[in-house]
Amino acid sequence: MPFTRIALRAGKPAAYRQALTQGIQRALIAEFNVPEDDIFMAITEHDESNFFYGRNFLDIQRSDDLVMIQLAVTNSRSEEQKKALYRRIVDNLAESPGVRREDVFINLVEVLKENWSFGNGIAQYAL
């Protein structure tokens, strides 16, 4: 059960934000074998005074269209699966809504299965 946070500059239309969630979800389905209805995402929009990033960190030229994606997932995927997920997300978002590849920043947080709760106060595993 991935949990995804997406942060971006304020002002993008609803269709753009929806394309972000759809592109990320398609990548999760394809590369992590996540069930189609296993979607938990939150988008936060930030004005210029609340959105900071290194424009040239690691010699990558970023713009104000930067999309920061943080995924919390169980720690059950291989390095190859993670790399495939990153590539698929970047490819999907480049296709729609048209995010430059340099403007996709992904942070993967791995969580032990026993640290998930699904709404009833006790950990349950959706295996």
Side-chain angles (χ1 to χ4, degrees), residues 81-100:
Q81 286 176 297
K82 294 174 204 174
K83 287 179 180 179
L85 176 70
Y86 301 151
R87 280 190 298 273
R88 181 75 63 121
I89 289 173
V90 170
D91 289 347
N92 287 353
L93 299 187
E95 180 182 313
S96 177
V99 180
R100 293 174 56 242

Side-chain angles (χ1 to χ4, degrees), residues 4-71:
T4 306
R5 294 178 183 267
I6 305 164
L8 64 151
R9 286 281 296 271
K12 297 294 185 187
Y16 181 96
R17 296 188 312 270
Q18 183 176 18
L20 291 175
T21 61
Q22 290 172 345
I24 295 166
Q25 184 67 9
R26 285 194 325 272
L28 287 165
I29 291 167
E31 303 302 339
F32 277 17
N33 200 31
V34 169
E36 194 169 318
D37 67 341
D38 186 353
I39 182 167
F40 295 89
M41 296 190 190
I43 297 176
T44 56
E45 295 181 273
H46 306 272
D47 61 28
E48 182 180 356
S49 65
N50 291 309
F51 195 70
F52 305 95
Y53 59 94
R55 285 192 175 272
N56 301 303
F57 180 67
L58 297 177
D59 292 324
I60 299 169
Q61 308 299 309
R62 294 175 187 82
S63 76
D64 287 339
D65 288 328
L66 178 68
V67 176
M68 297 182 202
I69 302 165
Q70 185 176 52
L71 293 145

